[in-house]
Amino acid sequence: MKKIVHTVEETQAIATQLAQLVAAGDTIILNGDLGAGKTTFTQGFARALGIKRPLKSPTFTLVREYQTPRYPLYHLDVYRLGEEGGSDEIGLEEYLGGDGVALVEWPEFIMNLLPNAVITVNLSRILGDDSGQQRQIELTGSTPRLQKLVNQIG
Ligand SMILES: Nc1ncnc2c1ncn2[C@@H]1O[C@H](COP(=O)(O)OP(=O)(O)OP(=O)(O)O)[C@@H](O)[C@H]1O
Ligand SMILES: [Mg+2]
């Protein structure tokens, strides 16, 4: 699916739908520039699972873990690995394709660790948008099951 959203709430509404469709073992990668809305999307996803407090960005820890009634939620932000050459990525595998659902910011820095089956979320700003709140959001799935899943999102 692909659509243009005009507010944070609309971005998070898509995240809410995704949270309800995925299952333990699924991996979601979040692409987009600094400030595109990757953490904002993840916040909406977490809220749909009952996590009320604001997410702390895992910039220095690389991963934060949340227990939810549906599945463990792993929020990875591996931006720091890109700056430092990716030497301390050891151990992140256990969060990907395992017992929980992982959302990964800056997935390009751990390409070698990503499973083949992923949902990709592309977030981008709209050229000439004066409000600063418009984004194009595109979700794709790398397997037939995941592609079918993202196509259920409206
Ligand atoms: N439609 C929208 N969707 C998402 N975020 C929006 C939207 N409109 C405005 N914003 C704002 O854009 C900012 C997005 O910041 P966010 O931290 O989510 O980006 P990010 O992609 O995680 O960046 P980083 O790469 O630095 O981690 C927030 O301040 C948010 O309020
Ligand atoms: Mg972020």
Side-chain angles (χ1 to χ4, degrees), residues 1 8 31 111 150:
M1 65 81 72
V8 165
N31 293 321
M111 281 247 288
V150 300

Side-chain angles (χ1 to χ4, degrees), residues 56-116:
K56 283 192 183 162
S57 234
T59 311
F60 294 100
T61 52
L62 301 178
V63 57
R64 284 186 186 272
E65 184 174 341
Y66 302 87
Q67 296 308 326
T68 84
R70 297 272 315 276
Y71 41 71
L73 175 65
Y74 304 118
H75 179 202
L76 283 75
D77 182 344
V78 296
Y79 183 76
R80 188 166 66 78
L81 292 179
E83 294 180 316
E84 295 188 357
S87 57
D88 53 354
E89 68 201 41
I90 299 98
L92 291 180
E93 300 94 318
E94 68 180 278
Y95 301 108
L96 304 166
D99 64 334
V101 171
L103 286 99
V104 186
E105 297 189 43
W106 298 99
E108 56 264 55
F109 298 139
I110 55 164
M111 281 247 288
N112 53 329
L113 301 182
L114 296 174
N116 293 323

Side-chain angles (χ1 to χ4, degrees), residues 19-20 23 25 29 36 39 46 48 50 54-55 59 64 69 103 107 114 116-117 136 138 141 145 152:
Q20 283 153 2
I29 63 176
T39 302
L55 295 190
T59 311
R64 284 186 186 272
L103 286 99
L114 296 174
N116 293 323
Q136 177 177 277
E138 183 178 20
R145 175 189 150 247
Q152 293 175 57

Side-chain angles (χ1 to χ4, degrees), residues 5 7-8 11 33-40 105-106 132-133 135:
V5 296
T7 61
V8 165
T11 296
D33 297 339
L34 289 167
K38 302 178 293 296
T39 302
T40 300
E105 297 189 43
W106 298 99
Q133 299 195 25
R135 301 288 188 275

